Amino acid sequence: MLELRNIQFAYHPSTPVLRNISLTVTQGEFLAVIGRNGSGKTTLTRLIMALKKPTGGEILLHGRPAGHLTPADMARHIGYVFQNPDRQIFRDTVALEASYGPEQLGYSPQQTEALTREALAAVGLSSLTGAYPPSLSRGQKQRLAIASALTMKPAMLILDEPTSGQDARERERLAVLLTTLHQAGLTILLITHDMDLLAACAQRAIVMSQGEKVFDGPAASLFQDMDQLKKWGLTEPAVLSISRQLVPRGVTPTFSLEELTNSLINRLGRNRHAESSTTY
Ligand SMILES: Nc1ncnc2c1ncn2[C@@H]1O[C@H](COP(=O)(O)OP(=O)(O)OP(=O)(O)O)[C@@H](O)[C@H]1O
């Protein structure tokens, strides 16, 4: 649905920020863009959202050149959730905030209300429709920003560092929400430093380093080369670290919490069986 061809970009002509980035996002994918601070991840998404124009190369949306599209045009296809939800929340109640997009598109009050209700239910905020947005927790604000994007019925959602500033419970809730939205057919592109979130949700990983794309492949294969991972300034997910430490106890390295849990339950079961065999 989205294609970047040899994208170049510089804020100042003498300092290139993105060099020759090519990538294709297929409908229904869940991908994560990762890399050190300043590697160009946010800039890349600004270009996708038409908030900046590339200095070279071309962006295609649904197979058609998108160079003439404005940020408002792109927002109908791709929802963008900022790293800091306070930057995009400005209305007095949760329901009013989420209804901004459909109102701007000229939907009737009934359609706007239905889209808002559906989006707030999807993110688990139905009970807070009358709440004052600044009084929400960081995680709730993040989910409100996601709901606002969902009311536009986008084909794709881009989230910039969605777990930053959130506690473990909110991060876990967000991972479940994103997985559910993906299973419902939404294409998701995540910019993140949170390797646990990547491991929990993303199928494909793209690594940026100094403005270049240096890795593009299945998330699982990213963690096979630890030396390379360190060179890119990345760490492995906590589940993988824990499972590696349990290898002497018969656990296979994995970054899937479910696989690790199953493996431990199996080990426990086998140990119990061995113990009971010894007793009798
Ligand atoms: N508005 C701007 N004007 C000038 N330079 C900028 C601007 N925004 C970003 N940069 C520079 O562009 C480069 C890429 O920044 P960008 O924010 O895209 O990186 P990032 O990978 O998203 O970093 P982070 O993980 O810290 O958010 C950095 O060197 C940054 O200083």
Side-chain angles (χ1 to χ4, degrees):
M1 64 162 292
L2 181 72
E3 190 181 346
L4 275 61
R5 288 187 186 155
N6 301 317
I7 291 296
Q8 320 268 356
F9 180 75
Y11 290 99
H12 304 292
S14 57
T15 322
V17 169
L18 296 177
R19 306 161 207 256
N20 253 337
I21 307 284
S22 293
L23 66 94
T24 303
V25 179
T26 307
Q27 186 80 47
E29 273 193 299
F30 196 138
L31 58 153
V33 179
I34 51 180
R36 283 183 211 277
N37 291 333
S39 57
K41 306 177 297 292
T42 299
T43 303
L44 187 69
T45 55
R46 282 191 195 137
L47 262 56
I48 293 173
M49 295 310 296
L51 296 165
K52 295 275 174 200
K53 292 289 171 193
T55 42
E58 191 179 27
I59 297 178
L60 292 98
L61 185 67
H62 298 301
R64 297 204 188 111
H68 61 288
L69 298 181
T70 64
D73 295 328
M74 289 308 284
R76 289 171 184 234
H77 302 274
I78 304 176
Y80 190 85
V81 180
F82 288 83
Q83 178 169 357
N84 181 355
D86 288 325
R87 282 185 60 194
Q88 62 191 126
I89 292 175
F90 59 97
R91 288 182 134 190
D92 284 343
T93 68
V94 164
L96 274 176
E97 178 61 39
S99 60
Y100 179 77
E103 279 174 23
Q104 293 304 304
L105 291 180
Y107 286 112
S108 71
Q110 291 81 3
Q111 283 172 311
T112 300
E113 208 258 316
L115 286 166
T116 303
R117 198 172 347 105
E118 190 188 340
L120 289 175
V123 303
L125 289 179
S126 296
S127 61
L128 290 171
T129 50
Y132 180 48
S135 69
L136 302 179
S137 71
R138 174 79 179 219
Q140 288 168 333
K141 286 180 186 171
Q142 191 67 258
R143 283 186 280 130
L144 174 55
I146 293 172
S148 298
L150 292 179
T151 56
M152 311 278 277
K153 294 275 175 197
M156 180 172 172
L157 201 58
I158 296 179
L159 302 104
D160 193 350
E161 292 290 355
T163 52
S164 79
Q166 296 194 27
D167 62 26
R169 204 158 143 240
E170 285 173 335
R171 288 207 303 271
E172 169 68 24
R173 183 161 193 168
L174 187 81
V176 172
L177 170 62
L178 295 181
T179 303
T180 307
L181 292 174
H182 176 239
Q183 283 166 352
L186 199 65
T187 307
I188 299 183
L189 187 156
L190 202 62
I191 299 178
T192 192
H193 284 107
D194 185 337
M195 302 302 272
D196 296 317
L197 182 69
L198 179 150
C201 300
Q203 302 159 330
R204 176 179 164 197
I206 290 171
V207 182
M208 299 283 297
S209 178
Q210 299 182 339
E212 290 182 39
K213 186 179 86 168
V214 293
F215 177 92
D216 184 349
S221 54
L222 180 65
F223 304 112
Q224 282 166 4
D225 188 343
M226 283 306 296
D227 291 338
Q228 191 58 264
L229 209 62
K230 276 186 196 141
K231 274 187 210 152
W232 291 328
L234 302 170
T235 52
E236 61 182 10
V239 173
L240 184 56
S241 302
I242 294 166
S243 62
R244 277 196 212 281
Q245 287 173 41
L246 291 171
V247 166
R249 304 203 172 240
V251 168
T252 310
T254 176
F255 62 76
S256 155
L257 184 58
E258 201 182 345
E259 277 177 30
L260 175 60
T261 311
N262 288 340
S263 181
L264 288 171
I265 290 169
N266 282 342
R267 291 292 311 162
L268 212 60
R270 262 185 270 151
N271 286 349
R272 286 225 177 101
H273 181 70
E275 275 169 25
S276 55
S277 308
T278 316
T279 313
Y280 299 104

